[in-house]
Amino acid sequence: MRPSLKALYIFGGLILVSLAVVVFAEEGAMITVVLAGIFLVILLLDGLKSWPGSEFSIRHRLPNCLYMGATDHMELEVIVPDAWGACRMEIAVDVEEKITPVTVFYLMIDSLSRNLGTVPLTPLLRGKSSVDRIWVRWQGPLGLASWTRRIDIMNSLPILPNIRSVSQDAVKFSARDALFGIKPQWQLGNGSEFDALREYVPGFDSRAIDWKSSARHHKLICKEFQTERNHQIILAYDTAHLMREPINGIPKLDHGINCGLLLSYLSLKNGDRVGVMGFDSKVRQYLGPTGGVQNFTKIQQVTADLSYSSEEANYTLAMAELLSRLNRRSLIILLTDFEDTVTADLMIDNLKRLSERHLVVFVSLRDKDVFDFARKQVTQLDDLTGTVIAQDFIQERAIVLEKLTRMGVQCLDTSVEDLKVDLLNSYLHIKRREMI
């Protein structure tokens, strides 16, 4: 128990009054001593009234894990003695640095013995985090005495890629053949697989007519083709320092991971094989292409282990190792970022060699603040300088993307909000065109 700020102010006031009384009337000194004694007794009674006792306890329930881009809650249950009555309790929670600091909040305690509250937990970075302790402070009925309790938790709390959003988005494609529509497709060209023969009806593509089968059956017969499956898709994540930069409070790397998990799930469900690679100055993680939805948990685990790095990305080493590991033409989706044309030259040279054997999709995230700053109306000299720098940055970015496009690399420069839709559309376009 300790005196509250209110009690200190009152006691300080009594001291000033005592000094004034002693100066002007020495015989009144005894009165001030009596008043101070009475105040101390009241302070003690106020503290005893709010004494926690054995009935006081705080129970908590933490989620099993946290997901990037989502806010979960820790549930608190405060049990107090029935004799307390109504009061206000101040609660603070100590969390590890990968979780947004929890602001102090207040919980109103009524005459009931059970009081519930929730604490929001919003992750900032993936990895292992923890909720360390809970601090609780309350005052007596008169607000003179305050009590403080510390409850040590020290619970480890893993922060994972946002599987919830993947599940929600995947529901939209849960129907049979939803990726390519319900209607059958007749896709001609190299790489298409023959499926079946059926009688020609008006509206079918006349180029799909099988004349030999038509002659045998004395009626027009068409060939049905279906899209090839069992393609290899590699999600290559750049985990260097540029990908740690946050957009909307979440690092670029985690935006790419969340989108890549959705693409992985749909690709596995569609019969393709998906692998993952993470690299910075060297290759840190690699999972070879695997098929089947049952292997989605492996991909989830590998992406969850992708750590943030402060090093530069070594494209030469990463692309060379990827070329040595892949023995057939694959779709490589590279999620990375670059600063200017100088630092991008080495990346372009390596992607050129990679694109000669594989189909490469280059994915980079736009920083909305930079583009907004470039379009900002200039009113001051400082704004002019910043606007010119932003426009130069955008121009250099466009030059790099144009070079990659000329080499046959599929470039996808998009915003965080449009990343999922644009990447899925690009994947579906590649599948339909049989470009792999």
Side-chain angles (χ1 to χ4, degrees):
M1 185 189 75
R2 64 180 61 183
S4 66
L5 190 61
K6 177 181 177 181
L8 294 177
Y9 285 150
I10 296 175
F11 192 73
L14 289 176
I15 293 176
L16 293 177
V17 172
S18 300
L19 292 176
V21 170
V22 170
V23 171
F24 296 102
E26 296 183 0
E27 63 277 5
M30 185 58 64
I31 299 177
T32 57
V33 173
V34 173
L35 291 176
I38 294 174
F39 174 76
L40 293 176
V41 172
I42 295 175
L43 175 63
L44 180 61
L45 293 176
D46 189 49
L48 293 176
K49 178 65 177 178
S50 57
W51 181 60
S54 59
E55 299 180 16
F56 176 83
S57 64
I58 294 181
R59 301 172 183 174
H60 67 277
R61 187 174 69 84
L62 284 168
N64 295 326
C65 60
L66 299 179
Y67 296 102
M68 287 298 300
T71 299
D72 285 279
H73 294 82
M74 177 177 68
E75 297 181 358
L76 294 179
E77 180 183 1
V78 182
I79 301 176
V80 300
D82 293 333
W84 267 23
C87 70
R88 188 178 72 163
M89 186 168 289
E90 186 178 1
I91 300 177
V93 179
D94 289 342
V95 295
E96 202 261 352
E97 61 180 2
K98 291 182 180 179
I99 301 177
T100 303
V102 179
T103 57
V104 177
F105 68 98
Y106 299 93
L107 181 64
M108 297 305 300
I109 305 297
D110 55 23
S111 57
L112 301 177
S113 61
R114 298 169 63 89
N115 302 272
L116 302 177
T118 58
V119 180
L121 300 175
T122 304
L124 296 173
L125 300 171
R126 266 180 307 103
K128 291 288 186 180
S129 185
S130 63
V131 178
D132 298 331
R133 59 190 64 85
I134 302 173
W135 295 89
V136 182
R137 183 167 61 191
W138 68 95
Q139 297 179 353
L142 300 178
L144 300 178
S146 66
W147 294 85
T148 302
R149 278 290 179 92
R150 188 187 73 178
I151 298 93
D152 292 324
I153 301 177
M154 307 303 292
N155 275 18
S156 178
L157 200 60
I159 302 176
L160 305 176
N162 195 348
I163 305 301
R164 291 177 181 171
S165 63
V166 174
S167 303
Q168 294 170 359
D169 293 333
V171 170
K172 303 175 185 177
F173 302 93
S174 59
R176 179 180 178 271
D177 296 331
L179 283 176
F180 300 101
I182 302 300
K183 297 181 180 179
Q185 298 178 59
W186 291 269
Q187 298 187 14
L188 301 178
N190 295 329
S192 296
E193 293 183 349
F194 171 75
D195 184 44
L197 293 172
R198 65 174 301 176
E199 184 177 355
Y200 175 85
V201 296
F204 283 2
D205 189 349
S206 59
R207 293 176 296 177
I209 297 176
D210 187 344
W211 296 107
K212 291 184 178 180
S213 299
S214 300
R216 285 196 302 268
H217 294 85
H218 303 287
K219 57 184 177 180
L220 293 178
I221 301 296
C222 286
K223 288 183 178 180
E224 284 187 359
F225 294 86
Q226 64 180 0
T227 305
E228 280 189 9
R229 295 172 182 260
N230 200 32
H231 293 303
Q232 285 192 164
I233 301 173
I234 302 295
L235 296 171
Y237 291 100
D238 173 10
T239 62
H241 67 99
L242 289 179
M243 295 298 287
R244 189 168 182 170
E245 179 184 352
I247 298 180
N248 297 341
I250 301 176
K252 292 180 180 179
L253 177 59
D254 290 291
H255 285 295
I257 288 175
N258 292 341
C259 182
L261 286 174
L262 175 61
L263 179 63
S264 300
Y265 178 81
L266 297 177
S267 300
L268 292 173
K269 193 173 182 181
N270 194 45
D272 291 331
R273 298 165 58 84
V274 181
V276 178
M277 183 181 76
F279 68 95
D280 46 28
S281 60
K282 62 180 181 179
V283 176
R284 303 290 180 177
Q285 299 282 344
Y286 183 81
L287 174 67
T290 57
V293 181
Q294 68 275 9
N295 289 317
F296 179 72
T297 54
K298 295 182 180 178
I299 298 175
Q300 177 189 353
Q301 182 61 48
V302 172
T303 55
D305 292 338
L306 293 175
S307 58
Y308 308 97
S309 174
S310 58
E311 302 181 10
E312 290 282 349
N314 189 335
Y315 293 97
T316 303
L317 181 61
M319 298 304 107
E321 183 165 345
L322 191 57
L323 279 171
S324 65
R325 288 178 180 268
L326 298 177
N327 54 10
R328 55 174 288 194
R329 182 173 171 84
S330 306
L331 171 62
I332 299 174
I333 300 176
L334 175 62
L335 296 103
T336 184
D337 199 4
F338 58 94
E339 290 180 330
D340 49 41
T341 54
V342 177
T343 56
D345 285 340
L346 191 59
M347 176 187 68
I348 293 174
D349 293 339
N350 287 278
L351 289 182
K352 182 179 180 180
R353 289 193 292 271
L354 189 66
S355 61
E356 292 173 354
R357 293 182 53 186
H358 305 280
L359 179 61
V360 180
V361 177
F362 180 85
V363 182
S364 61
L365 291 176
R366 296 176 187 169
D367 192 336
K368 184 176 179 296
D369 294 336
V370 175
F371 281 80
D372 290 343
F373 203 91
R375 294 189 294 264
K376 183 179 179 181
Q377 185 177 0
V378 177
T379 57
Q380 298 178 358
L381 183 59
D382 293 340
D383 293 340
L384 177 61
T385 303
T387 301
V388 171
I389 294 174
Q391 290 176 350
D392 289 343
F393 176 82
I394 294 173
Q395 185 177 4
E396 291 184 353
R397 190 179 185 88
I399 293 173
V400 173
L401 295 176
E402 184 179 355
K403 288 181 179 180
L404 291 173
T405 303
R406 290 177 179 177
M407 295 187 313
V409 175
Q410 306 285 320
C411 293
L412 188 61
D413 186 38
T414 183
S415 63
V416 170
E417 293 77 13
D418 300 329
L419 176 59
K420 290 182 180 179
V421 174
D422 290 345
L423 185 55
L424 286 177
N425 284 339
S426 179
Y427 166 72
L428 296 180
H429 174 73
I430 291 171
K431 292 279 287 183
R432 290 193 179 102
R433 296 288 301 273
E434 298 287 344
M435 298 172 65
I436 308 177

